């Protein structure tokens, strides 16, 4: 079932709010929730396990042989970004190389990545020529979410109950959104 325009508008606002507000593990869980609903029986959420952690794998899309690494800090500094992705990519290659062809950095920067961030990602491809390196931000995650049906969107962003409660001066119903 397709979303009506008001529900879609409310869900777009909620998505943007979550995307901008969530950090760290909460952002990673938000991303994994979307991917599990979008790709059931295909996307695998990776749980850190004891001292081994997640072995630089925050999620895996089996059908596309794609490994995801989520990076959603409070402040994305250039130095921390470069260090983080270099370590995460090298770790992913050492632990998971036989299982993936594409490595995707998922980030929470609404404005996108800076030029040095992008160059750092491009350099990763030079480290391992047979792995495609990509990044997903606001729009890529948004598209995954809005490919879902209404029920699954509501499961992630919460329900929208629209009720006609009053009429305007011309007798048209005024719709109010409630949670």
């Amino acid at each position: 079932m397709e979303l009506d325009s008001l529900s879609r508008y409310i869900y777009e606002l909620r998505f943007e709010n979550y995307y901008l507000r969530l950090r760290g593990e909460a952002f990673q869980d938000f991303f994994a929730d979307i991917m599990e609903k979008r790709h059931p029986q295909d996307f695998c959420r990776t749980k850190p396990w004891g001292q081994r952690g997640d072995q630089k794998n925050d999620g895996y899309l089996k059908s596309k042989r794609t490994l995801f690494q989520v990076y959603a800090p409070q402040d994305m500094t250039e130095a921390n970004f470069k260090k983080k992705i270099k370590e995460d990519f090298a770790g992913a290659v050492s632990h998971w190389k036989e299982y993936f062809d594409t490595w995707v950095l998922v980030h929470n920067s609404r404005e996108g990545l800076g030029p040095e961030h992008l160059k750092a990602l491009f350099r990763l491809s030079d480290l391992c020529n047979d792995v495609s390196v990509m990044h997903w931000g606001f729009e890529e995650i948004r598209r995954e979410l809005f490919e879902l049906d209404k029920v699954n969107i509501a499961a992630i962003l919460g329900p929208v109950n629209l009720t006609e409660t009053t009429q305007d001066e011309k007798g048209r119903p005024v719709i109010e959104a409630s949670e």
Side-chain angles (χ1 to χ4, degrees):
M1 182 185 300
E2 182 110 1
L3 290 171
D4 61 86
S5 60
L6 184 56
S7 294
R8 175 69 185 235
Y9 177 73
I10 291 167
Y11 281 134
E12 290 275 1
L13 290 175
R14 284 186 186 171
F15 171 75
E16 184 172 29
N17 183 320
Y18 285 14
Y19 184 89
L20 294 173
R21 187 174 43 85
L22 297 175
R23 299 286 183 260
E25 197 172 309
F27 184 84
Q28 182 175 325
D29 287 341
F30 177 60
F31 170 74
D33 289 347
I34 293 169
M35 294 299 287
E36 282 178 334
K37 293 204 179 304
R38 175 79 171 97
H39 304 279
Q41 303 299 312
D42 192 14
F43 179 80
C44 304
R45 179 190 305 241
T46 307
K47 175 185 177 181
W49 200 261
Q51 292 181 342
R52 287 179 280 182
D54 61 16
Q55 298 181 344
K56 307 303 180 185
N57 175 350
D58 291 334
Y60 179 68
L61 190 56
K62 186 177 180 182
S63 66
K64 305 271 190 199
R65 291 182 49 86
T66 300
L67 192 96
F68 295 91
Q69 184 66 44
V70 179
Y71 184 52
Q74 275 304 110
D75 183 30
M76 192 180 295
T77 65
E78 189 175 310
N80 288 345
F81 179 88
K82 287 179 179 180
K83 181 178 185 245
K84 169 81 171 148
I85 67 163
K86 187 175 180 181
E87 288 173 2
D88 287 349
F89 183 77
V93 169
S94 72
H95 292 291
W96 302 98
K97 176 62 184 96
E98 64 190 276
Y99 302 105
F100 74 96
D101 302 315
T102 302
W103 184 84
V104 179
L105 174 76
V106 179
H107 63 83
N108 66 336
S109 175
R110 177 66 171 103
E111 297 81 27
L113 299 175
E116 293 305 314
H117 297 119
L118 289 174
K119 287 178 189 176
L121 286 172
F122 297 155
R123 287 184 194 109
L124 292 180
S125 295
D126 296 340
L127 296 174
C128 193
N129 289 339
D130 55 345
V131 174
S132 175
V133 175
M134 301 173 67
H135 64 92
W136 282 18
F138 182 87
E139 190 58 29
E140 291 81 7
I141 300 168
R142 185 188 148 283
R143 286 176 188 255
E144 289 290 320
L145 174 71
F146 285 106
E147 285 294 321
L148 295 171
D149 62 25
K150 190 176 185 177
V151 171
N152 283 310
I153 293 171
I156 293 167
L157 299 178
V160 171
N161 298 318
L162 301 175
T163 56
E164 296 179 14
T165 59
T166 59
Q167 295 181 348
D168 68 9
E169 64 280 352
K170 293 185 179 179
R172 297 175 296 204
V174 174
I175 307 289
E176 295 181 2
S178 62
E179 304 223 11

